Amino acid sequence: MTHRIVFVEDDADLAELISDFLSRHEMEVVIEPRGDAALDTIAREAPDMVLLDIMLPGKDGLSICRELRPKFDGPIIMLTSLDSDMNQILGLELGANDYILKTTPPSVLVARLRAQLRNLRPAQPVKAQPAKGSRKAVFGQLSIDPVSRDVVLAGEKIPLSTSDFDLLWLLASHAGETLNRDLLLKEMRGVDYDGLDRSIDVAISRLRKKLGDNPSEPFRIKTVRNRGYLFSLSGWE
């Protein structure tokens, strides 16, 4: 299977060199040399993965990562020459899945990218079932139909991506329970939580926004400090 990658890199020679190497390993690379054009290129190309340099014309890679993460489910990899602990921490905190130096041997680079791409497997089936006698789960003004995959809140249909719906259904199926990141990642992507992966946090933030939750003091999908996330039974009236 060939994976599509957008590589945001302004060094044309280096970009072509890495692109040629990755193309030998079932990765099709689209090169974008400008930071201020990156988001448009990513939206147009709909890649499986994004590689970001940090120092770019128009907009830096960290800013691109921050803006891209809430609307992109795939891996975002910082590929840069900046060997700085602060940049690594900041990149990961902003939602990057990995931070790789350009001096990394090509074979190691491919292995790390493949490791991230393996996580793109289809979401695992959610084990929970709707309440007996009804295909819908209803919480006050919120209705979730696992068959049609429709979500309606206060009479308004809420459009959700496949992964966002699966996450919502998983949380709602365990309403009133705190689910930790490890469980959520295993159910959604079949991988263990490594302490750095922020994809669940990003997906939760995206769900809250779509469901009208309060981002600073969420009352519908609550954060339980040091434990995980809780779907509130009383937040939908």
Side-chain angles (χ1 to χ4, degrees), residues 183-199:
L183 185 150
L184 291 170
L185 270 173
K186 284 180 179 177
E187 289 289 341
M188 296 294 297
R189 294 171 54 189
V191 298
D192 293 326
Y193 179 57
D194 61 5
L196 294 174
D197 193 317
R198 304 300 299 272
S199 59

Side-chain angles (χ1 to χ4, degrees), residues 21-32:
F21 186 79
L22 295 182
S23 69
R24 299 177 217 156
H25 296 83
E26 300 181 324
M27 300 182 202
E28 176 188 356
V29 180
V30 175
I31 299 170
E32 172 51 64

Side-chain angles (χ1 to χ4, degrees), residues 30-92:
V30 175
I31 299 170
E32 172 51 64
R34 292 198 59 86
D36 50 5
L39 293 175
D40 288 340
T41 299
I42 293 165
R44 182 180 68 248
E45 298 294 338
D48 300 302
M49 172 185 284
V50 173
L51 304 182
L52 290 174
D53 190 13
I54 290 182
M55 302 300 291
L56 292 164
K59 182 180 292 186
D60 67 87
L62 293 172
S63 297
I64 296 168
C65 181
R66 182 181 62 246
E67 294 177 36
L68 178 62
R69 183 76 282 174
K71 50 193 174 186
F72 181 68
D73 292 331
I76 300 174
I77 310 299
M78 309 305 300
L79 183 58
T80 176
S81 59
L82 297 179
D83 186 6
S84 157
D85 289 348
M86 183 58 68
N87 280 325
Q88 292 189 48
I89 292 169
L90 185 56
L92 294 170

